[in-house]
Amino acid sequence: MTTNKIFSRPNRTINILTTCSGIGAPEMALRRLGLKSRILLACDYDKNCEKEYKLNYKPEHWVKNMYDVDAAPFKGQISLLVAGICCQTFSMAGNRTLTEEDGTGRGGLFLPMVKMINDGQPDVFIMENVKGMIMRKDGEPSAWESTIYPALLSTGYDIHYAILNAKDYGVPTDRPRLFVVGFREPRPDFEFPRPIQLTHCLEDYLDDEVPEEYKVNDTVSYLTPRECLRIMGFPEDFKISPEVSGDEIIHQCGNSIVVDVLMEIYKQFDITRYGK
């Protein structure tokens, strides 16, 4: 592993396009790093995510269905594409293989992602998913081996992938995830960021006072929405819509990427090299 790097062009603007945008972890990572960004397009089918996202960011375009995203008009403009794929198909509880229905369903979201890469030609793309995507089940090739990795390679991008755990990047939560980084121009020097020392414990993210609805008893409580946001890397100034329930915020956090891990990846390949 290489040591983490600093930014060479910190005054440039990162043009970003995200799908399965959720509550905007890729965008928040840029904000926390103090970098300028322009959100060309964001996409999520969840109306509550849309409310949270638009309360905290200013996307120039919003699309509800990933299959409807047209990246071609942004060709030559996209610094970074972060394309999510629903993880349920690839979770340890899922079948971890692609079926015929996945051609147009959740598991098949890699298809519009590949189309976006081909049409939009981003400088860099990142994909994150559960580690089950690359794990075999019952001895059969994984969806990654059989379909997704070959499809990504067909784009001609320089593809790198690894399992990274949030607890190795400053966040006290055991959350291993597959991260895939692709470069339009080859980056043979790229390696994923080395682990950093964990200096915080879970208690550092918790409130002194817990609302009654989250208490199990006098000594045990569930995590509150704000506590979940902190753990996932969203700072205190992240706005919570009064139209979105606490349970929904917790659900959104569960579907998010850990912001701190993205920050380390951005630093490692120096995202400002691709600023406009």
Side-chain angles (χ1 to χ4, degrees):
M1 294 288 186
T2 59
T3 57
N4 292 322
K5 303 174 182 179
I6 60 173
F7 297 123
S8 60
R9 301 168 179 86
N11 294 321
R12 289 190 176 183
T13 297
I14 309 303
N15 291 344
I16 186 170
L17 188 157
T18 65
T19 66
C20 291
S21 302
I23 53 176
E27 298 86 342
M28 181 56 69
L30 293 173
R31 184 180 295 178
R32 283 187 52 195
L33 288 167
L35 299 177
K36 293 183 289 186
S37 65
R38 175 188 173 197
I39 304 172
L40 301 173
L41 181 146
C43 168
D44 206 291
Y45 75 96
D46 189 312
K47 63 182 181 181
N48 290 312
C49 285
E50 182 178 359
K51 291 174 183 176
E52 284 295 299
Y53 191 100
K54 290 182 176 179
L55 188 62
N56 287 279
Y57 314 99
K58 295 181 179 179
E60 296 181 8
H61 302 276
W62 181 271
V63 178
K64 293 183 182 297
N65 191 327
M66 187 170 169
Y67 286 94
D68 295 332
V69 174
D70 181 8
F74 304 106
K75 185 176 181 179
Q77 301 179 53
I78 307 170
S79 307
L80 175 66
L81 166 67
V82 183
I85 298 178
C86 293
C87 67
Q88 289 89 342
T89 299
F90 312 107
S91 70
M92 300 306 289
N95 58 32
R96 303 207 298 278
T97 59
L98 292 172
T99 63
E100 187 174 336
E101 294 78 43
D102 287 317
T104 55
R106 291 186 304 190
L109 287 176
F110 73 93
L111 294 170
M113 180 184 74
V114 169
K115 187 176 188 301
M116 283 178 230
I117 295 169
N118 285 325
D119 293 349
Q121 290 290 294
D123 295 318
V124 186
F125 78 82
I126 295 176
M127 182 189 82
E128 182 256 20
N129 212 284
V130 293
K131 66 179 183 179
M133 178 178 280
I134 64 172
M135 297 180 66
R136 293 186 172 192
K137 186 174 183 179
D138 300 326
E140 295 296 320
S142 66
W144 174 257
E145 292 174 283
S146 66
T147 310
I148 298 172
Y149 187 44
L152 291 175
L153 288 176
S154 74
T155 65
Y157 275 63
D158 179 23
I159 309 295
H160 304 255
Y161 64 96
I163 301 294
L164 305 182
N165 197 321
K167 69 180 182 180
D168 295 324
Y169 298 94
V171 183
T173 182
D174 186 20
R175 192 177 175 90
R177 290 294 185 270
L178 169 68
F179 284 87
V180 183
V181 181
F183 299 97
R184 185 163 55 85
E185 298 296 330
R187 284 288 302 269
D189 62 320
F190 175 74
E191 293 184 12
F192 283 93
R194 62 178 177 81
I196 61 178
Q197 183 177 359
L198 184 62
T199 58
H200 293 284
C201 62
L202 182 61
E203 286 73 15
D204 295 331
Y205 295 80
L206 305 183
D207 292 319
D208 293 332
E209 298 293 331
V210 178
E212 287 296 324
E213 62 264 35
Y214 295 102
K215 290 183 178 180
V216 177
N217 53 46
D218 290 339
T219 58
V220 179
S221 63
Y222 297 110
L223 290 172
T224 68
R226 182 59 70 183
E227 290 169 342
C228 289
L229 285 166
R230 290 188 196 116
I231 292 168
M232 295 303 294
F234 293 86
E236 297 304 300
D237 60 359
F238 183 85
K239 300 171 185 175
I240 296 177
S241 170
E243 300 178 21
V244 179
S245 71
D247 287 345
E248 186 59 38
I249 296 295
I250 293 170
H251 176 71
Q252 291 170 353
C253 288
N255 287 334
S256 181
I257 307 173
V258 177
V259 174
D260 298 71
V261 181
L262 283 172
M263 291 168 63
E264 295 303 318
I265 295 173
Y266 290 172
K267 288 189 285 186
Q268 192 67 10
F269 68 74
D270 184 3
I271 195 170
T272 65
R273 285 180 54 170
Y274 305 101
K276 308 301 181 183

